[in-house]
Amino acid sequence: MSHEPPQNQSQKTLENEDDDTDILPRRRFLNLAGAGLLTIGFGSLAEGIVGGVSEPLNQQVETLIFKPHQLVPEFPLSAIEPEKLIVNSFRGTPAINPVSYRLTVDGNVNNPLSLSLQDLQILPLTSMVIRHVCVEGWAAIVQWGGVKLRDILAIAQPSSQAKYAYFYSADGYYESWDLDSVMHPQTMMAYQKNGQALTPENGAPLRLASPIKLGYKLSKWVTRIELTTELTSKRGYWEDLGYEWYAGL
Ligand SMILES: Nc1nc2c(c(=O)[nH]1)N[C@H]1C(S)=C(S)[C@@H](COP(=O)(O)O)O[C@H]1N2
Ligand SMILES: [Mo]
């Protein structure tokens, strides 16, 4: 199923599709193996991972990380509504090999990343039970498990000019977010749903999950996160068809 465009605009094709997850220099590539990172604090996590070269986080990102964000109340596990989450994909389910899969984090960052699923699974696992809300008029309480996006960005170290994040997906979907929402402590890259490994239809291996944004902001099959200083004329798949950009809940 798909949304009805609110205006009679023709669909634009995506010029910026990103399949090249391997183009980044492996310089300063994460070496997480055996580092016992789950037990150390957040600050040392960010420092330890960048190979001992401890650059302090820049002021803007630090402000966003420690900003007292409004937390959205979560639900108990008993509230999960497994049958209510409707698969909503504009172009079917892309085939992704989890072994060769990489999440690229690039653009306005000091430490570009290319993360395997193993790399991501070494980072602290968080779980939340939240309501997913689709503009089409359905909602579902879902448990998501994954890595806080702010933990990933603490390693990538956004430059002080970074203001937005673009999320590119394997099916050609794309979305842009403001950095404050990206840094919200309940915004995560999820690889689990309702206590089990995320299924391909729901965005495996990695999708966005957050209680602060509408369903169409929550990209499935994310392969690249690009930090930028500006929004381009392409702001998101549904946004470019007339939907609202901020799409807050
Ligand atoms: N890559 C990609 N992400 C996407 C979509 C999509 O078509 N492609 N649909 C969006 C919409 S409109 C919703 S409501 C949710 C649905 O997530 P689900 O299919 O896991 O229920 O995914 C969002 N993320
Ligand atoms: Mo949606």
Side-chain angles (χ1 to χ4, degrees), residues 3 85-91 132-136 138 144 169-171 173 201-203 207 215-221 238:
H3 298 297
L85 186 73
I86 297 169
V87 170
N88 203 344
S89 305
F90 85 113
R91 204 189 259 172
H132 175 102
V133 181
C134 176
V135 279
E136 286 184 295
W138 57 268
W144 302 109
S169 298
D171 62 342
Y173 201 81
E201 316 80 71
N202 292 124
R207 70 169 297 158
Y216 63 84
K217 296 303 280 190
L218 304 173
S219 301
K220 304 190 279 187
W221 314 294
W238 289 112

Side-chain angles (χ1 to χ4, degrees), residues 20-88:
D20 45 359
T21 50
D22 272 325
I23 53 162
L24 288 173
R26 310 285 275 189
R27 188 176 64 94
R28 300 177 78 200
F29 180 75
L30 280 182
N31 183 3
L32 303 167
L37 292 166
L38 295 183
T39 56
I40 63 176
F42 172 70
S44 37
L45 175 70
E47 284 175 8
I49 281 174
V50 283
V53 192
S54 52
E55 291 167 40
L57 294 171
N58 78 57
Q59 190 56 49
Q60 192 198 355
V61 174
E62 208 153 346
T63 305
L64 288 175
I65 284 175
F66 296 108
K67 177 183 162 164
H69 282 96
Q70 190 85 34
L71 288 184
V72 178
E74 298 182 12
F75 296 87
L77 286 171
S78 59
I80 294 171
E81 301 168 314
E83 69 300 334
K84 285 207 185 168
L85 186 73
I86 297 169
V87 170
N88 203 344

Side-chain angles (χ1 to χ4, degrees):
M1 58 187 306
S2 65
H3 298 297
E4 282 299 315
Q7 293 148 31
N8 191 20
Q9 288 175 296
S10 60
Q11 290 190 185
K12 291 171 189 160
T13 51
L14 181 73
E15 289 152 42
N16 214 3
E17 281 193 46
D18 179 69
D19 297 326
D20 45 359
T21 50
D22 272 325
I23 53 162
L24 288 173
R26 310 285 275 189
R27 188 176 64 94
R28 300 177 78 200
F29 180 75
L30 280 182
N31 183 3
L32 303 167
L37 292 166
L38 295 183
T39 56
I40 63 176
F42 172 70
S44 37
L45 175 70
E47 284 175 8
I49 281 174
V50 283
V53 192
S54 52
E55 291 167 40
L57 294 171
N58 78 57
Q59 190 56 49
Q60 192 198 355
V61 174
E62 208 153 346
T63 305
L64 288 175
I65 284 175
F66 296 108
K67 177 183 162 164
H69 282 96
Q70 190 85 34
L71 288 184
V72 178
E74 298 182 12
F75 296 87
L77 286 171
S78 59
I80 294 171
E81 301 168 314
E83 69 300 334
K84 285 207 185 168
L85 186 73
I86 297 169
V87 170
N88 203 344
S89 305
F90 85 113
R91 204 189 259 172
T93 300
I96 300 177
N97 177 348
V99 176
S100 55
Y101 171 84
R102 296 291 180 277
L103 173 69
T104 298
V105 184
D106 65 358
N108 283 80
V109 295
N110 295 323
N111 188 38
L113 303 173
S114 171
L115 303 175
S116 68
L117 286 176
Q118 264 187 324
D119 295 331
L120 288 158
Q121 284 164 5
I122 289 170
L123 295 174
L125 172 66
T126 3
S127 163
M128 62 183 180
V129 181
I130 58 155
R131 181 178 275 121
H132 175 102
V133 181
C134 176
V135 279
E136 286 184 295
W138 57 268
I141 296 175
V142 189
Q143 184 211 18
W144 302 109
V147 181
K148 290 181 183 188
L149 196 39
R150 51 159 45 187
D151 288 357
I152 297 173
L153 288 184
I155 304 165
Q157 300 196 18
S159 70
S160 50
Q161 298 86 15
K163 283 209 183 67
Y164 304 100
Y166 272 80
F167 298 90
Y168 296 102
S169 298
D171 62 342
Y173 201 81
Y174 57 101
E175 276 297 335
S176 58
W177 285 47
D178 59 288
L179 203 55
D180 190 26
S181 298
V182 163
M183 289 295 186
H184 190 281
Q186 289 165 296
T187 296
M188 67 157 72
M189 301 308 300
Y191 55 83
Q192 295 175 351
K193 187 198 88 178
N194 297 342
Q196 297 188 318
L198 195 60
T199 58
E201 316 80 71
N202 292 124
L206 201 66
R207 70 169 297 158
L208 266 166
S210 179
I212 64 167
K213 296 281 188 194
L214 277 167
Y216 63 84
K217 296 303 280 190
L218 304 173
S219 301
K220 304 190 279 187
W221 314 294
V222 175
T223 56
R224 180 183 176 203
I225 303 171
E226 181 195 17
L227 295 204
T228 68
T229 56
E230 277 166 51
L231 291 176
T232 66
S233 58
K234 292 177 158 293
R235 297 179 307 148
Y237 180 79
W238 289 112
E239 290 87 334
D240 293 348
L241 296 169
Y243 277 84
E244 204 232 323
W245 175 72
Y246 192 78
L249 278 182

